[in-house]
Amino acid sequence: MATPAHSRRSRSAAPATGTPPAPRTVLEALLPAEGSAPLALVYETANLAGLEDQPLRLAIRRACAAGDVQQRGRGRAGNVELTAAGRARLARDRVGLALALAQDAGQAPWDGRWHLVALTVPERDRAIRDGLRRELLASGAAPVATSLYVSPHDLSDVLPAAARGATATAVATHLDVRGTTEPRALAEQLWPAAPVVAAYDAVTRALADDERGGAPVPVRQLRLADALERAMRDDPLIPVELRAAPWAPSRARRAWAQRWQALRALPGGAHLYPGWLDEGAGGSRCVPVR
């Protein structure tokens, strides 16, 4: 990958002031969908954003240990690239923002159906059951009974293919959970709005801070990406029809997407998230959701 201009300047440029992004945000920002990224670029970008080498080094080690990233070579002379598992995880994560922005734009209306998934794994296969439970919760499904989960989204494309032999599924247009049947009331009961709304305060603050400018464009982008990732980490992305209007997270995401596109158009603004911005979500970067 070609070295962007900001990285060539970074050894002499002063680190940006303000709260630095998470080390993993910097790492993922520079990992292309295909191919590798030079670690010199990763470290220089992190330093420019105000991060020391050690936190980034630990983030790389953790990503390697998790099987998401593979490192070739040592130190700044090496390279880092996504594994197949890491590429699949990030691809799934990026679907989250694509869905959120489509909902915000009215392009993904709720069809009025509830999708239920029951785990049918026997007790002796507890590891498989626990893994599926984690997948369902990470996908925003809510438990309504022992081993029974519900979502307003069809999760068949999210769960691993092996889950088909370990689950039973159903679709309903009427759902009664402990006496609650009205869709918005059900959404509030199963996915309370308050913590979701509060999480997006970080995005609003990041946008306000960004208006002051001053930092290099890639650093501004990293801060915005980090704020959105934190906000969306526990957002179940419930359709806006099931939330009170106006839905504050939608407003924050739209403002974020507009700012992101404005920064992308500036010199040095097109180098982050190589290969992930070419399609989907109106060209916006889909950061990890959870």
Side-chain angles (χ1 to χ4, degrees):
M1 184 176 67
T3 302
H6 83 266
S7 71
R8 296 196 294 269
R9 296 194 303 267
S10 60
R11 287 193 182 276
S12 58
T17 59
T19 303
R24 182 151 187 142
T25 297
V26 178
L27 175 62
E28 293 183 348
L30 294 163
L31 285 170
E34 299 292 340
S36 62
L39 279 169
L41 172 61
V42 178
Y43 278 103
E44 289 164 7
T45 304
N47 296 159
L48 188 65
L51 281 169
E52 299 293 334
D53 285 3
Q54 183 62 14
L56 181 63
R57 191 176 297 116
L58 290 174
I60 294 171
R61 288 177 182 171
R62 291 189 185 107
C64 290
D68 290 337
V69 165
Q70 183 176 18
Q71 179 178 338
R72 301 180 188 277
R74 296 174 61 86
R76 292 175 182 253
N79 292 278
V80 65
E81 62 183 281
L82 288 166
T83 63
R87 191 175 299 109
R89 183 186 67 79
L90 288 185
R92 190 188 75 170
D93 288 342
R94 283 156 172 81
V95 169
L97 184 57
L99 171 62
L101 295 181
Q103 289 177 339
D104 297 342
Q107 298 171 355
W110 186 48
D111 62 5
R113 300 193 296 177
W114 300 101
H115 298 264
L116 295 116
V117 180
L119 303 182
T120 60
V121 185
E123 178 66 23
R124 65 177 180 273
D125 294 326
R126 178 177 296 181
I128 297 175
R129 184 185 62 193
D130 290 346
L132 287 172
R133 181 181 292 114
R134 286 192 296 270
E135 290 279 355
L136 285 164
L137 293 174
S139 300
V144 291
T146 302
S147 297
L148 179 63
Y149 297 80
V150 65
S151 172
H153 303 297
D154 182 356
L155 300 179
S156 58
D157 292 336
V158 176
L159 295 175
R164 180 159 302 194
T167 59
T169 61
V171 177
T173 55
H174 176 80
L175 183 66
D176 186 327
V177 178
R178 294 180 285 277
T180 301
T181 59
E182 197 278 321
R184 281 195 179 182
L186 277 169
E188 179 60 27
Q189 178 177 315
L190 297 172
W191 303 278
V196 177
V197 172
Y200 281 86
D201 289 345
V203 176
T204 302
R205 289 193 299 270
L207 288 167
D209 291 343
D210 184 68
E211 289 179 356
R212 293 193 286 269
V217 169
V219 174
R220 294 170 64 186
Q221 290 176 303
L222 286 168
R223 289 172 178 169
L224 290 177
D226 194 57
L228 187 65
E229 189 278 328
R230 293 175 188 275
M232 294 190 68
R233 188 175 295 163
D234 296 313
D235 186 346
L237 300 179
I238 300 306
V240 293
E241 294 88 347
L242 297 175
R243 296 299 197 184
W247 180 232
S250 289
R251 183 170 60 247
R253 289 191 296 256
R254 286 194 295 266
W256 182 94
Q258 292 170 359
R259 183 69 54 80
W260 186 268
Q261 289 302 314
L263 291 174
R264 285 269 295 169
L266 296 177
H271 298 301
L272 299 187
Y273 307 102
W276 295 107
L277 292 163
D278 300 329
E279 57 186 57
S284 297
R285 183 252 175 172
C286 298
V287 299
V289 176
R290 275 168 276 279

